[in-house]
Amino acid sequence: MPPLDTSPSLSVWRMLLALAVVFVFLATTGWTTIRHQSTPGETRESTLAAWAHGRVGHRPLPDATAPARTIAAFFASLSPAQRIRLADRYPLVVGNLNGVPVTLRYHANHVSLAHALDAERGRVDDPRLNADGLHEARRRVDRFRSLMRPGRQILAFDPTGTGRTAEVLGDLERTRRVSVIVPGVDTNLLTFQKTARMYSAPAGMATSLYAAEHRADPGARTAVIAWADYTAPVGVGIDAAIGRLAENGAVRLVDLTGALPGDAPVSLFCHSYGSVLCGVAASRLPARVTDVVVAGSPGMRAERAADLATPARIWAMRDSGDWIADVPHVEVGGVGHGADPVAPEFGARLLSAAGASGHAGYFEPGTGSLANFAAIGVGAYGELTCAAADSACRRGISGAEAA
């Protein structure tokens, strides 16, 4: 009998085949594919083009790609009336520009939502739309109306294509701690919030975490950001298996965390493909990001936590019933996302996910996973429940080991 071929090339092909089989399996049992059409009307690109030629009095407007500190200095030099005029004239720019005062961004995004709602209402009455297009238009009208409700603080909004948005719970300018939720596959404007399975959507995740943080420490001043301000993969396909969209999103996440007002510590809560994005961003995150928590992770595009090259603490959890465990935690030729963050050899601090019930249940009220998120969000590290019976995950954190 001839010896088995154990050459590297055969191993690579076997690994790629395994990945393909798993992705097909997950496409039929886990992630879903959602397709959307672009909507007509003003886009951020067209507004950016107008902004590039705009002026305040005799002063040109700053480059929209300028550092946040440059943008902040420019807006600080304007009168309140001038700021509002800019937000009303260029809402899709001002509402998404890091360095702009957050309350002005909320105002600009409310204006953008009103414009998007008017444009979408026109599509609802368009006889050229097929049934799917009409259904999508109606859903978008409902989403825009919901985001415009009094009290909602929309930090980012772009209706182009499948759309992007971010929402703040709490007072971001006066908070003592900030939590940022980074969601995964199939995140867009229409899936930003859900009625059924609400805690599997970014808005519901943020609502749940914000409430849990205040249960953990009723006196805490916290803010939670539901950050769906990147283009996520749609369904299970090549975009979900490679890092291109994570790399693009990482730039946006680094920019966001570097431009947040104040100096409050920031914790990232990264779910599913969002953990890939957080892994790619890790080495560029500002020092105020103290904790990166991944749940249901397919990998962070690193073989060890130390390879992420960040001083932030790296935490990982996975529920025993989460199907993401079936994804091969490898990276071959750019396909796959590397080692399993809950493997002991990866070196993350391992947290209990008791009660999470599968891949989408980590933010469900009453779960051990949510309690752990909240403890990190308020800095109560002594209250954490590690994955093992001992307190290994709290090792080296002042005041937490003996708790």
Side-chain angles (χ1 to χ4, degrees):
M1 180 177 179
L4 292 175
D5 187 345
T6 58
S7 67
S9 60
L10 181 58
S11 298
V12 169
W13 280 111
R14 284 174 174 164
M15 191 63 70
L16 289 173
L17 178 60
L19 284 168
V21 170
V22 170
F23 288 139
V24 169
F25 169 76
L26 295 179
T28 59
T29 61
W31 296 331
T32 56
T33 300
I34 304 174
R35 295 183 176 87
H36 304 287
Q37 299 173 353
S38 297
T39 57
E42 190 175 47
T43 66
R44 186 161 185 260
E45 287 70 22
S46 63
T47 310
L48 281 168
W51 171 274
H53 297 94
R55 305 182 77 82
V56 172
H58 299 293
R59 298 168 59 193
L61 301 181
D63 189 327
T65 63
R69 62 181 178 274
T70 301
I71 300 297
F74 174 79
F75 275 86
S77 71
L78 302 179
S79 69
Q82 287 174 321
R83 295 175 193 172
I84 291 294
R85 282 199 293 271
L86 281 180
D88 290 342
R89 185 173 182 182
Y90 307 102
L92 280 174
V93 176
V94 175
N96 294 283
L97 204 54
N98 290 317
V100 172
V102 293
T103 53
L104 188 63
R105 288 181 68 169
Y106 300 157
H107 170 81
N109 286 321
H110 190 85
V111 173
S112 291
L113 278 160
H115 292 170
L117 179 59
D118 286 343
E120 208 63 45
R121 281 177 176 145
R123 292 187 75 226
V124 169
D125 297 325
D126 189 340
R128 296 170 297 178
L129 284 181
N130 60 21
D132 288 342
L134 180 61
H135 178 66
E136 179 194 315
R138 287 172 175 165
R139 290 183 66 196
R140 287 172 68 96
V141 164
D142 289 342
R143 176 63 67 249
F144 299 155
R145 283 175 174 161
S146 176
L147 292 174
M148 290 179 69
R149 287 176 184 161
R152 298 196 74 166
Q153 301 176 137
I154 306 305
L155 185 66
F157 172 72
D158 185 350
T160 307
T162 59
R164 297 194 297 253
T165 193
E167 181 176 14
V168 176
L169 302 181
D171 188 338
L172 194 56
E173 292 181 308
R174 294 176 176 84
T175 187
R176 290 181 179 170
R177 299 189 72 92
V178 180
S179 298
V180 181
I181 295 171
V182 183
V185 166
D186 279 337
T187 295
N188 54 58
L189 270 173
L190 293 184
T191 61
F192 181 70
Q193 62 190 59
K194 298 177 183 178
T195 302
R197 301 172 66 242
M198 65 177 293
Y199 302 115
S200 67
M205 292 176 179
T207 299
S208 183
L209 179 58
Y210 188 61
E213 289 179 349
H214 284 271
R215 287 193 298 270
D217 184 353
R221 281 215 311 262
T222 65
V224 177
I225 302 175
W227 189 76
D229 193 27
Y230 82 103
T231 300
V234 178
V236 176
I238 191 62
D239 280 337
I242 62 176
R244 180 179 63 87
L245 293 180
E247 290 162 3
N248 294 341
V251 173
R252 302 179 70 82
L253 182 63
V254 170
D255 288 346
L256 168 82
T257 53
L260 291 172
D263 57 3
V266 177
S267 300
L268 304 182
F269 298 90
C270 316
H271 178 244
S272 194
Y273 188 85
S275 67
V276 183
L277 190 160
C278 289
V280 174
S283 65
R284 290 168 280 161
L285 294 170
R288 67 187 294 189
V289 177
T290 57
D291 298 274
V292 177
V293 189
V294 301
S297 176
M300 300 181 74
R301 300 194 78 77
E303 292 306 306
R304 298 177 304 154
D307 296 338
L308 296 171
T310 175
R313 289 175 286 264
I314 305 298
W315 308 83
M317 67 168 68
R318 186 171 66 221
D319 177 66
S320 59
D322 189 340
W323 48 256
I324 205 74
D326 296 325
V327 172
H329 285 86
V330 295
E331 187 276 321
V332 179
V335 179
H337 302 303
D340 187 349
V342 302
E345 58 270 23
F346 185 79
R349 299 170 182 266
L350 302 182
L351 293 165
S352 170
S357 186
H359 188 62
Y362 293 97
F363 288 85
E364 286 283 343
T367 58
S369 52
L370 179 64
N372 275 330
F373 293 159
I376 291 173
V378 300
Y381 299 101
E383 302 301 315
L384 292 169
T385 302
C386 301
D390 59 25
S391 60
C393 73
R394 301 196 294 266
R395 189 170 296 141
I397 303 176
S398 178
E401 287 188 76

